[in-house]
């Protein structure tokens, strides 16, 4: 099993994550809290109340976890393609796989990464939703003192299953959308590259960026539900399950609720995924 894809996936995912985290914090807050009038209002309030640090809440944990999650995604994707088409990463430019194979491999990667991502994503969302300013005398202490304390508190209160809250919604979100992600990337690369050639860096940046946007547009409805399930019973009301969360969110806030965070998600997706794919392709190319 080729291991370079796992390592390249890890490094490229971490680079993309740092770039996209401030956008991600605004997105999570818009999706789960009703106190903001829009993106700008959320950014201004976050900055005033919590300074620049507020945008980077909950980042240390995803940085550590991206090692696992992105390497599982890219490693499983590439190895699934190897199993389906008997071609290695290097051979795929000369013998491109069919889009059906790319889609199946992407869905497989998405499905497996969702389970690795679930506990890390839960902790990230819980920390991002803590709007208390850091270390201000007299202000109430935040519920969680950091990622480890957050993980331990959830574990103590709900057991190991508690750490997988929202995992179903996350799996439903990621399985098909990661198929879409890799198909879009491959399709765009092939449109702008001569047969058998390696795509230029510009092509990889654009194809990666648009793959990110397309997949996140498709993922946003379930992303909203996932974030609400993860916050259920805290700042949110508790839900009877995924379907109950969907129906009651739509009843109370209209169908527009499923597109909350869409703009910020798309704005974040372009740079994050452009950088992720560029570094992934370059790392694999330099390792031969
Ligand atoms: C639509 N979905 C779930 C994705 N495209 N997932 C791939 C993640 C890539 C990058 N780390 C990101 O956070 O955008």
């Amino acid at each position: 099993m080729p291991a370079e894809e796992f390592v390249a996936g890890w490094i490229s995912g971490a680079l993309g994550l740092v770039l996209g985290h401030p956008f991600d914090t605004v997105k999570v807050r818009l999706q789960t809290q009703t106190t903001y009038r829009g993106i700008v209002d959320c950014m201004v309030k976050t900055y005033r109340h919590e300074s620049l640090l507020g945008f980077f809440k909950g980042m240390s944990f995803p940085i550590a976890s991206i090692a696992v999650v992105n390497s599982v995604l890219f490693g499983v994707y590439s190895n699934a393609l190897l199993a389906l088409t008997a071609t290695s990463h290097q051979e795929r430019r000369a013998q491109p796989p069919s889009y059906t194979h790319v889609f199946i491999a992407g869905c497989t990667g998405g499905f497996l990464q969702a389970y690795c991502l679930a506990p890390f994503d839960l902790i990230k969302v819980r920390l991002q939703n803590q709007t208390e300013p850091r270390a201000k005398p007299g202000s109430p202490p935040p519920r969680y003192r950091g990622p480890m304390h957050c993980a331990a508190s959830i574990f103590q209160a709900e057991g190991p299953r508690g750490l997988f809250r929202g995992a179903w919604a996350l799996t439903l979100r990621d399985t098909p959308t990661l198929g879409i992600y890799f198909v879009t990337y491959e399709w765009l690369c092939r449109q702008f590259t001569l047969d058998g050639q390696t795509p230029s860096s510009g092509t990889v940046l654009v194809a990666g960026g648009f793959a990110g946007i397309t997949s996140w547009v498709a993922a946003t409805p379930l992303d909203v539900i996932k974030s609400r399930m993860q916050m259920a019973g805290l700042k949110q009301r508790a839900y009877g399950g995924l379907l109950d969360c969907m129906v009651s969110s739509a009843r109370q806030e209209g169908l527009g609720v499923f597109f909350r965070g869409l703009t910020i998600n798309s704005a974040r997706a372009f740079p994050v995924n452009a950088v992720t794919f560029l570094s992934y392709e370059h790392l694999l190319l330099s390792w031969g």
Side-chain angles (χ1 to χ4, degrees):
M1 176 189 277
E4 310 91 270
E5 281 93 346
F6 286 95
V7 181
W10 163 13
I11 300 174
S12 54
L15 287 173
L17 183 115
V18 176
L19 202 68
H21 197 78
F23 294 95
D24 195 62
T25 300
V26 175
K27 176 203 83 174
V28 165
R29 290 183 177 188
L30 285 173
Q31 286 180 340
T32 56
Q33 300 182 30
T34 44
T35 42
Y36 304 113
R37 288 194 305 273
I39 296 173
V40 177
D41 184 45
C42 179
M43 287 168 90
V44 170
K45 282 185 177 145
T46 300
Y47 182 73
R48 277 212 193 117
H49 203 53
E50 301 158 69
S51 83
L52 265 187
L53 284 179
F55 293 96
F56 290 93
K57 274 192 182 158
M59 194 178 76
S60 56
F61 217 48
I63 281 276
S65 65
I66 205 80
V68 184
V69 175
N70 225 57
S71 71
V72 166
L73 173 61
F74 279 83
V76 170
Y77 167 72
S78 196
N79 282 283
L81 265 186
L82 177 66
L84 288 166
T85 64
T87 53
S88 69
H89 186 82
Q90 289 81 0
E91 291 160 348
R92 274 178 217 139
R93 289 296 157 215
Q95 295 161 260
S98 72
Y99 289 118
T100 311
H101 283 152
V102 171
F103 184 74
I104 296 172
C107 291
T108 313
F111 180 80
L112 290 176
Q113 72 121 39
Y115 265 83
C116 305
L117 176 62
F120 298 117
D121 192 64
L122 174 72
I123 289 160
K124 174 187 77 79
V125 167
R126 292 275 176 99
L127 293 177
Q128 283 174 318
N129 267 311
Q130 293 200 139
T131 48
E132 295 84 358
R134 266 184 202 217
K136 225 185 185 180
S139 60
R143 182 185 191 107
Y144 306 120
R145 292 195 295 274
M148 295 320 270
H149 179 242
C150 178
S153 315
I154 298 172
F155 190 87
Q156 257 169 16
E158 300 167 52
R161 284 192 63 188
L163 289 168
F164 285 84
R165 224 195 245 216
W168 246 114
L170 187 65
T171 311
L172 288 178
R173 184 196 79 175
D174 281 6
T175 306
T177 56
L178 267 298
I180 296 173
Y181 181 64
F182 285 106
V183 167
T184 311
Y185 175 72
E186 272 301 315
W187 185 78
L188 283 170
C189 279
R190 288 182 204 177
Q191 299 311 302
F192 300 108
T193 312
L194 293 173
D195 282 353
Q197 302 274 301
T198 306
S200 68
S201 299
T203 300
V204 170
L205 276 174
V206 172
F210 278 108
I213 293 187
T214 316
S215 59
W216 276 109
V217 167
T220 298
L222 274 162
D223 190 47
V224 174
I225 300 306
K226 183 255 343 156
S227 299
R228 289 179 171 218
M229 300 287 291
Q230 289 172 324
M231 289 304 291
L234 287 125
K235 290 186 181 184
Q236 294 274 316
R237 53 158 287 204
Y239 299 106
L242 196 127
L243 214 59
D244 178 38
C245 177
M246 279 178 157
V247 173
S248 54
S249 297
R251 270 212 192 114
Q252 279 162 19
E253 295 160 67
L255 285 178
V257 73
F258 295 119
F259 299 97
R260 274 233 196 127
L262 182 67
T263 313
I264 190 93
N265 240 347
S266 309
R268 171 192 166 278
F270 193 92
V272 169
N273 292 287
V275 165
T276 300
F277 272 104
L278 186 68
S279 43
Y280 177 74
E281 295 285 6
H282 270 269
L283 286 167
L284 286 181
L285 209 66
S286 63
W287 292 335

